[in-house]
Amino acid sequence: VIDNPLVGTTIVGGVNVIATYIALLLMDSTGRRALILWSSGGMFLSCIVIVMSLLGYFSNALALVAVNTYVSFFEIGLGPIPWLIVAE
């Protein structure tokens, strides 16, 4: 789907930054428990789509979208919240 690995890395990094900013906005208003639950569920569903794509049931473009979705769900909940809890 993407010929140059640097482009894929840049896309994932951009998604990472945007999702981290969204997590900063949502953390106090939504609550940590809800964010961790949504994060875990979204990561689980993204993993299922990635595996199905690798097995050939879906296209490679959908695998790329699923990887970016996985990264965004990780950065919304399971990425920053454990570090915040340790700091408290």
Side-chain angles (χ1 to χ4, degrees):
V1 173
I2 296 177
D3 295 328
N4 189 358
L6 187 60
V7 173
T9 303
T10 305
I11 291 171
V12 171
V15 168
N16 195 350
V17 169
I18 292 169
T20 303
Y21 182 71
I22 292 171
L24 289 173
L25 298 176
L26 289 177
M27 199 167 301
D28 289 331
S29 63
T30 305
R32 296 178 193 151
R33 183 173 187 267
L35 284 178
I36 286 178
L37 289 174
W38 277 103
S39 176
S40 300
M43 288 169 60
F44 176 71
L45 293 176
S46 297
C47 282
I48 290 174
V49 173
I50 291 168
V51 169
M52 298 293 280
S53 295
L54 291 175
L55 291 174
Y57 293 109
F58 301 129
S59 68
N60 290 338
L62 186 59
L64 181 66
V65 170
V67 167
N68 285 317
T69 304
Y70 181 91
V71 169
S72 65
F73 274 114
F74 177 78
E75 286 303 323
I76 286 175
L78 288 175
I81 291 177
W83 291 101
L84 180 68
I85 292 172
V86 169
E88 290 179 350

